[in-house]
Amino acid sequence: MGPMKAAAAFISALDGRERAGLKRLQVTLLGSLAWTGRGHRTDKAVMLGLSGLSPELIDPDDADRRIDIIAATRQLVLSDGTIIDFDPAQDIDFNLDEPALAHPNTIRFSALDREGRELKGETWFSLGGGFIRREGDVSSVVESGPAIPFDYRDAAQLIAMCDRSGLSIAEIVRANEAALLDEASIDHRLDRLTAVMFDCIDRGMQTAGELPGGLKVKRRARALQARLKESESRNLKHSIPAMDYASMYAIAVNEENAAGGRVVTAPTNGAAGVIPAVLRYYREHCQDASTDGVRIFLLTSAAVGGLCKMNASISGAEVGCQGEVGVACSMAAAGLTAALGGSSRQIENAAEMGIEHHLGMTCDPVGGLVQIPCIERNAFGAIKAINAASLALSGDGSHHVTLDQVIRTMRDTGADMQAKYKETSRGGLAVNVPDC
């Protein structure tokens, strides 16, 4: 998502003179984007972004057709209809030699005229979760708006605001959203996110076959669903059905992600299965589940994800998978605890357990593909989130390790982690498991 958004932002910012003289575009991927970009289909994302398309609106089934046309014609059609020469094999450079000094996910764009002179050049950083920042800008590209009523910067401030106001974490997040949107629009967005998450689960459970990329990984969600249905029909008691379903839900989402389907980046694409799985677990397997509970779940999850991004990172290229599946587990644990009626301190307890027991987790995808170990890792993250919520709800909210402390520990651990374990596929499973 980040590379697609960065490409779209670059091309849309060309002024009239630059656009009139544009004859060619060159893109250079550095750092983790170079090392795992082919497996992550970063080149595909860049081409779609340069074509003026956005992750929210593009039809996944149409995306591959567009990419095939670009590769076959060696031409790119911009959003205004302008056609320029563009050969993906030549004009997208996976640069493995130049270090990415400013950020591990770096993209450099160059707009060139007929003689090859640069009309405009920019460097962008993909921060994780679809957030982007242009070199030289102070902060990531976000929507601007009016001041929010609860401007918390860490979990301690958030809990203190809950205590003073008498509001829950979800209510505080909703109050901040209400500074930008009316209540009906907030509910519409929450319900839309839920629908996309659950549609993704359903697609994953209905689709069989082999995932693209060369590892020959077979989809399992459909077969897992059939096996669970058979066990239920025979009244077998050898497993815990609700937990088995949660695992299947997560696997279904991440198989869709690996196949280029539509997912909700929560907090990242590679960790996109945890929150939908736990949310579906809540709706299907928890007594008294409700639409309001689903909304509370998402609002609370958002608070935790924001704290992690603000005070550490949600990028595997920066801190390893502890910042992706670890944060997703923390968000889901907090959301489930809130939906089940937990207090603000019980929610914080669940959230800190979610990260605490993923500390040090590396990001080492085999072949640079978000398949091994990523798909199963989401299933384990979902189960840990449910367990964390259960443990938190069984206590009174008191705990020794705070969410702020564990987020800070994740940040420090990521800083100490060697680069080969941070989404470069140069260490760990990526070098010890053959990718052919």
Side-chain angles (χ1 to χ4, degrees), residues 18 21-24 111-119:
E18 293 161 346
L22 179 64
K23 296 301 176 184
R24 188 181 172 197
L112 308 174
D113 65 13
R114 190 179 301 277
E115 285 72 38
R117 293 186 295 255
E118 186 174 79
L119 299 168

Side-chain angles (χ1 to χ4, degrees), residues 2 11 29 38 60 75 140 195 217-218 225 238 260 281 305 311 395 403:
I11 202 70
L29 305 175
R38 296 187 192 278
Q75 291 182 326
S140 59
V217 173
K218 292 183 178 179
Q225 183 190 36
H238 63 272
Y281 166 88
N311 296 305
L403 180 56

Side-chain angles (χ1 to χ4, degrees), residues 132-154:
I132 55 175
R133 178 167 56 85
R134 181 172 49 200
E135 186 178 46
D137 290 349
V138 176
S139 60
S140 59
V141 176
V142 296
E143 296 180 4
S144 60
I148 57 175
F150 298 100
D151 189 13
Y152 54 87
R153 295 290 163 172
D154 56 37

Side-chain angles (χ1 to χ4, degrees), residues 268-403:
T268 66
N269 280 25
V274 177
I275 289 175
V278 179
L279 189 60
R280 185 74 162 248
Y281 166 88
Y282 164 74
R283 196 191 73 171
E284 301 291 339
H285 303 282
C286 292
Q287 189 174 358
D288 299 327
S290 65
T291 298
D292 283 343
V294 168
R295 293 168 180 168
I296 289 169
F297 184 116
L298 292 176
L299 290 166
T300 308
S301 296
V304 173
L307 290 172
C308 293
K309 182 181 182 299
M310 191 185 312
N311 296 305
S313 174
I314 58 172
S315 170
E318 286 191 292
V319 297
C321 199
Q322 59 176 351
E324 296 203 29
V325 169
V327 171
C329 176
S330 178
M331 294 170 67
L336 181 59
T337 304
L340 294 176
S343 67
S344 59
R345 284 173 174 75
Q346 287 174 318
I347 292 166
E348 187 208 2
N349 188 14
E352 68 86 5
M353 282 190 280
I355 295 178
E356 183 179 14
H357 300 293
H358 284 90
L359 287 175
M361 181 173 281
T362 59
C363 182
D364 49 357
V366 176
L369 297 164
V370 194
Q371 297 179 16
I372 303 172
C374 317
I375 295 173
E376 289 180 351
R377 188 166 285 177
N378 275 257
F380 279 87
I383 298 304
K384 284 185 180 181
I386 295 169
N387 195 30
S390 178
L391 288 172
L393 287 167
S394 68
D396 61 5
S398 60
H399 48 286
H400 289 285
V401 180
T402 69
L403 180 56

Side-chain angles (χ1 to χ4, degrees), residues 161-168 171:
M161 289 177 182
C162 290
D163 291 343
R164 288 195 301 269
S165 66
L167 299 175
S168 68
E171 288 169 334

